[in-house]
Amino acid sequence: MDLRQLAVVVAVAEEGGFTAAAHRLRTVQSTVSTVVRALERDLGTPLFHRTTHRVVLTPAGEAFVPAARAALEAAERARAAVSPVGGRVRLGVCPGLLADLHGVVVRLRNAHPGLAVEVRQQACGGWGQALAESTVDAVLSVLPDPGSTAGLATTLLSCEELVLATAPGGSRSAPADLSELSLVDFPPGWAIRDAVDRAFPRRRISLEVDDPAVAAGLVRAGLAACVLPGSAAARFPDLTVRRFAQPPVWQLAAVHRAGVSAAVAAVLAQLA
């Protein structure tokens, strides 16, 4: 099994037929058919039901194609990581998602001097419309629910725990129930707010600010506690970081269209 075989199968699945896939791949229909048959023999199972009028995936094909697409995207990211690319990438970033956004942009420019990166603020939950309208090429967000990404691809970039930041001193263990605590949180549409809403839907928000440093100041003064990703809490070492017994996770992902360009792949490779 090689990448060319994977690319052919994905093209047939996405185009809905061998002839259309051949046009997309700039080859002939017989070559596409030969490649697919060879792969099916290697796998020991058919990937497509072939009829006179259409081609549809078998159950094995339904399982195979997403994995094949992921492998192709991973290969493209690996290639982009070592091969400077040019072009332009419009990157949507949910507020509060990257504390070191400047560092990310600097690393991208150092790795790919010919690559222009435009960063736009994108509210969590609004990335679907932005991608559909092609106003951005990829959106950095908390990992969305699988049902909300139909027709799109999701690349998981990092995963860490959410923790409870409190005033200096005290216990290192966080309570399972936050309903009795006074909490400072961030506005709707912020990445941290989205993740904490999912993890603790019944918490009580006493204060709402749009700056993590301001939130840390309120915590430092003993006015509230704050749920943060571990890496964000580490920016304020004087605060007490309390871990949950069953820690909720903070998963950073990129949502984008399938079959990304070399420029988008280069950006994803630097972010992973």
Side-chain angles (χ1 to χ4, degrees), residues 219-240:
V219 172
R220 191 176 293 112
L223 297 174
C226 186
V227 180
L228 292 168
S231 58
R235 295 173 54 204
F236 311 105
D238 60 315
L239 302 182
T240 295

Side-chain angles (χ1 to χ4, degrees), residues 179-213:
S179 61
E180 299 302 317
L181 293 180
S182 174
L183 296 173
V184 56
D185 214 321
F186 303 96
W190 272 54
I192 299 175
R193 174 66 176 266
D194 186 64
V196 179
D197 279 347
R198 296 189 209 178
F200 302 102
R202 292 186 295 275
R203 71 193 187 288
R204 178 170 58 90
I205 302 173
S206 300
L207 299 162
E208 188 176 281
V209 298
D210 62 358
D211 185 338

Side-chain angles (χ1 to χ4, degrees), residues 233-253:
R235 295 173 54 204
F236 311 105
D238 60 315
L239 302 182
T240 295
V241 174
R242 303 173 65 179
R243 296 188 62 197
F244 296 95
Q246 295 182 324
V249 294
W250 163 265
Q251 294 176 295
L252 170 62

